[in-house]
Amino acid sequence: MPHPMLTFSMPHMAAPSFLEVDRCGFFRLPLPLSDRSFPLRFHSQPSLCFLLPSRRIRLIPSSRLRPYRLSAAFVPSKSGSEHDDSVEAVEAAVVSPKGKNSSQMTKRVTFGLGIGLGAGGVVLAGGWMFTAGVAVAAFLGGREYFELVRSRGIAAGMTPPPRYVSRVCSVIYALMPVLTLYFGNIDVSATSFAFIVATALVLQRGNPRFAQLSSAVFGLFYCGYLPSFWVKLRCGLSVPALNTKVGHGWPVVLGGQAHWTVGLVATLISISSIIAADTFAFLGGRAFGRTPLTSISPKKTFEGALAGLIGCTMTAVLLSQILCWPTTTLSAACFGVLNFVGSLFGDLIESMIKRDAGVKDSGSLIPGHGGILDRLDSYVFTGALCYSFVKIGLPLFGV
């Protein structure tokens, strides 16, 4: 197991000095530090601390210790004396060992494949099973959304909705996909639920605030209204895709050829294109990423976005040739571009919310992936765009 490393960064020196320390060991420091003691602030292990008595480091042991990389910044005193250096910033950050990084990656891939296979089965099943899956995702996403709204970063500048309102809203978000399947129309239910939420906020005790109304109504749009378009896309477009050759050999017990509808084919192409966009963007960004795309998400690069666009468009065109929908290459390419724009925009919106909330992940529901919003942010806006493209855009291509 690797040893922890203590890195002393000397801003006014030509190069930093490094000192490797072992547990419960005493080592003389080759640095002119003053004779003083102070604790290091730890993010996850408060029982661990370092002392600096007489230019030595003592590591207090703990049964829960793991390898650490610690960094301390020492700034020379104003007097300029070599032996009167003052410690102005000391911080310790945990860096997982290589073995743990590998374990995290294995967990991420395992859960990712499991989620992908489960989602594929739900999409193929359609109907109430698909709608139930969207409803559960909307409910969990609503819970995470309101936790972000209550976070210290956002709540410091606004008044979050009361908890009973957020719980009611989460239930409403889950009901919206179900009502969309049952009535086939989402506008009436969205308007009615918005009125209910606004009434509940106005009638609450105390002093109602506009920030409460705006965050709750945006949550209604973000976590309830937009995901319901996936139900309209998958279950509402029930016209059989007669040219799809896969449907010819589909078992009759599972619905036969009539099971392969335009909605099913469009949903499969859209989801596959989004997965390709995320994968190509990640690989392209790591290999060629140099130019930042936006300040909202500093890790995203223009080169990665371009790779994601290419991968998304190619996947849509390839699957359109296999599934024989859409029937023209141009319309399939436009469908792929639209999927990429929707996925990128959804990812940036969620990144903006998390940045203001001051958190890295929206939750910890999925091991190795974060919360449900972290996994589904690319799909939030895409369902509405794809449904609009099929209903309005494809007729312009003569499809």
Side-chain angles (χ1 to χ4, degrees), residues 2 10 18 20 37 80 84 151 198 205 214 247 295 318 366 373 382:
M10 306 293 290
F18 296 89
E20 185 166 339
S37 301
D84 291 331
S151 65
R205 294 181 179 178
S214 59
S295 59
L318 178 62
I366 308 173
L373 290 179
T382 316

Side-chain angles (χ1 to χ4, degrees), residues 57-69:
I57 290 183
R58 181 160 64 94
L59 177 59
I60 298 178
S62 172
S63 60
R64 299 176 297 169
L65 293 185
R66 297 174 297 177
Y68 289 94
R69 175 162 297 188

